[in-house]
C-alpha cells in the first residue's frame, strides 16, 4: 500500500511510527512553516523530527531533536554572550549545517532533505511540502512573531490575534510531492496542528487541488475535547476563528478529506462532522506505546 503522510512535529511522530510498522510504502510530506534561520543555519523542525523518528533516533521524551544529544555548542555560545533560547543540540546542529551547506551549493530543499533522510536511514522518502520558503507568522499585541519565536522564545504566552503564511503565494507543490500524492493509495493527515503544521501547506496554491485529486484522504484529529495532543493548536485555531475541537479540524479539512478519525471522547461530534460530508470514525486516539501507534495507524488506513 502506498501511503503519503502529511506531517507536522511532535504530534505526528507517533502516527509515522505506526504507519512505518504497517510495512506501508511511506512518503512523508513535512511542513515547512516552522523553518527558520537560527545560529546561522537553516533549521527545519518538522522535516527533522520526521527523519529522526523514522531513523529511530528521535528524542521521544522531548518530542524534538536527537536522543542523547549534547548541547556543548550552545554552552559556548551562551558564554560568548549570545542568546540561546532555541536548544539546538550538537548532532541536530550537524544535520542543519549539512542542509545549509547543500542549500548554499544550490540544491533545493527537496534534494537536501532526500539526501539527509537517506543518510540517516529513514527507509522511506521524506519531502518538504514545497521548496520555496513559507513561514508561519503569528500576529500578537507586541508584533508579528515566527513560530519558533512565539512557541519557544515566548513559550506560547502572547495573545494570538491572527496567523498568516508569508511567501505562500509564490510557492508551489514540488514535482516529487505531486508524484507521491498521485501514486498514493491513501493520503494521511497526521495529528498535527491544523493551523501551523498543515495550514502552511494548504496555503500553497495548487496544494488543496492536489489533495482533492488523491484517491483517498483520511485525517487523524489532534484534538481531544478542546485540547490538542501537544502544542498550541487550540489557541491558534481560535485566532483563525476555527472552533478549537475536532469539529474545527473537520471544518478546515472538509474541502479535501474523505474521512476523519476522532477521539471516542468526541463521539458526540460525529453526526455534525458527517453533515459536512466527511466519514467519521471514533477510536481511542491516544497512541500509547508501539502497540497503540500501530493500532491507530491500522484504523486510519481502514477508515
Ligand atoms: N522546542 C522547544 O520547545 N524548545 C526548544 O528549545 C526547541 C529546540 C528545537 C531544536 C531543533 C528542532 O528541530 C526543534 C526544536 N524544538 C524546540 C521544537 C520546535 O520548536 C517545535 O515543536 C516545532 O517547530 C513544531 O513542530
Amino acid at each position: 500500500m502506498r501511503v503519503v503522510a502529511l506531517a507536522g512535529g511532535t504530534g505526528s511522530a507517533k502516527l509515522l511510527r505506526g504507519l512505518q510498522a504497517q510495512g506501508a510504502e511511506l512518503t512523508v510530506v513535512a511542513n515547512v512553516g516552522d523553518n527558520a534561520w537560527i545560529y546561522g543555519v537553516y533549521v527545519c523542525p518538522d522535516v527533522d523530527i520526521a527523519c529522526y523518528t523514522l531513523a529511530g533516533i528521535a528524542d521521544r521524551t522531548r518530542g524534538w531533536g536527537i536522543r542523547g544529544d549534547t548541547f556543548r555548542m550552545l554552552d559556548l555560545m551562551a558564554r560568548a554572550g549570545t542568546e540561546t533560547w532555541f536548544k539546538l543540540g550538537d548532532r541536530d546542529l550537524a544535520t542543519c549545517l549539512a542542509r545549509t551547506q547543500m542549500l548554499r551549493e544550490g540544491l533545493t530543499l527537496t534534494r537536501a532533505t532526500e539526501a539527509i533522510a537517506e543518510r540517516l536511514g529513514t527507509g522511506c522518502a521524506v519531502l518538504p511540502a514545497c521548496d520555496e520558503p513559507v513561514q508561519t507568522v503569528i500576529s500578537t499585541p507586541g508584533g508579528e512573531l515566527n513560530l519558533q519565536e512565539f512557541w519557544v522564545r515566548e513559550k506560547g504566552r502572547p495573545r494570538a490575534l491572527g496567523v498568516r503564511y508569508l511567501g505562500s503565494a509564490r510557492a508551489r507543490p514540488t514535482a516529487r510531492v505531486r508524484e507521491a500524492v498521485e501514486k498514493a493509495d491513501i493520503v494521511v493527515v497526521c495529528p498535527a496542528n491544523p493551523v501551523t503544521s498543515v495550514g502552511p501547506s494548504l496555503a500553497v496554491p495548487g496544494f488543496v487541488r492536489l489533495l482533492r485529486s488523491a484517491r483517498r484522504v483520511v485525517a487523524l484529529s489532534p484534538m481531544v475535547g478542546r485540547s490538542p495532543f501537544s502544542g498550541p493548536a487550540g489557541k491558534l485555531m481560535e485566532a483563525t476563528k476555527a472552533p478549537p475541537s475536532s469539529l474545527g479540524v473537520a471544518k478546515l479539512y472538509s474541502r479535501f478529506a474523505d474521512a476523519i478519525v476522532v477521539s471516542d471522547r468526541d463521539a458526540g461530534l460525529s453526526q455534525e462532522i458527517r453533515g459536512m460530508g466527511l466519514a467519521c470514525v471514533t477510536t481511542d486516539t491516544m497512541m500509547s506505546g508501539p502497540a497503540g501507534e500501530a493500532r491507530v495507524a491500522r484504523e486510519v488506513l481502514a477508515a
Side-chain angles (χ1 to χ4, degrees):
M1 190 180 205
R2 287 187 176 138
V3 180
V4 166
L6 299 193
T10 311
S12 302
K14 289 181 172 194
L15 187 62
L16 289 183
R17 273 194 297 267
L19 291 169
Q20 188 182 37
Q22 304 312 301
E25 193 187 308
L26 184 62
T27 301
V28 178
V29 175
N31 170 47
V32 298
D34 300 8
N35 296 359
W37 285 93
I38 303 179
Y39 312 135
V41 293
Y42 198 48
V43 186
C44 299
D46 290 356
V47 165
D48 289 345
I49 192 62
C51 289
Y52 298 155
T53 297
L54 295 165
I57 59 169
D59 186 313
R60 294 193 192 191
T61 316
R62 268 201 316 257
W64 45 269
I66 298 174
R67 195 169 55 236
D69 210 349
T70 50
F71 294 86
R72 291 188 186 145
M73 182 276 295
L74 276 191
D75 290 346
L76 278 169
M77 281 191 56
R79 272 211 248 164
T82 309
E83 276 192 60
T84 53
W85 51 265
F86 191 75
K87 304 296 177 211
L88 187 60
D90 297 325
R91 295 175 71 205
D92 208 358
L93 171 67
T95 303
C96 298
L97 277 168
R99 171 168 46 236
T100 304
Q101 190 172 321
M102 285 189 259
L103 294 176
R104 293 224 158 105
E105 284 164 3
L107 264 68
T108 60
L109 186 59
T110 298
R111 291 284 305 280
T113 305
E114 285 184 307
I116 290 168
E118 197 186 326
R119 283 170 214 168
L120 287 175
T122 55
C124 72
V126 178
L127 305 170
C130 58
D131 279 330
E132 302 82 358
V134 173
Q135 193 172 47
T136 302
V137 176
I138 299 154
S139 167
T140 74
E144 288 196 318
L145 302 174
N146 71 33
L147 199 273
Q148 304 308 336
E149 290 165 340
F150 175 81
W151 180 240
V152 182
R153 193 186 69 198
E154 303 302 325
K155 303 189 180 356
R157 282 191 290 241
R159 198 148 58 88
L161 305 171
V163 177
R164 68 188 180 110
Y165 306 108
L166 194 64
S168 61
R170 283 186 302 277
R172 295 290 176 270
T174 62
R176 294 281 289 111
V177 168
R178 281 186 178 286
E179 184 192 21
V181 171
E182 280 159 13
K183 286 189 181 159
D185 297 300
I186 184 167
V187 175
V188 173
V189 186
C190 290
N193 184 327
V195 178
T196 58
S197 296
V198 185
S201 306
L202 301 182
V204 171
F207 206 94
V208 169
R209 202 175 335 119
L210 179 64
L211 291 180
R212 279 204 196 118
S213 73
R215 287 197 182 89
R216 186 156 183 78
V217 181
V218 177
L220 175 61
S221 174
M223 307 293 287
V224 180
R226 292 173 68 85
S227 307
F229 289 162
S230 61
K235 188 171 189 171
L236 295 175
M237 285 176 76
E238 276 177 325
T240 57
K241 313 273 182 276
S245 67
S246 285
L247 205 57
V249 178
K251 260 191 195 141
L252 292 169
Y253 296 167
S254 60
R255 58 195 167 127
F256 58 82
D258 299 290
I260 184 163
V261 178
V262 307
S263 166
D264 43 18
R265 291 192 232 164
D266 289 328
L269 302 174
S270 325
Q271 217 177 338
E272 204 171 334
I273 290 175
R274 290 190 187 113
M276 295 175 198
L278 287 172
C280 180
V281 174
T282 62
T283 188
D284 173 9
T285 54
M286 286 298 175
M287 293 172 272
S288 19
E293 292 165 2
R295 175 188 57 78
V296 174
R298 275 194 302 275
E299 296 194 44
V300 167
L301 294 179

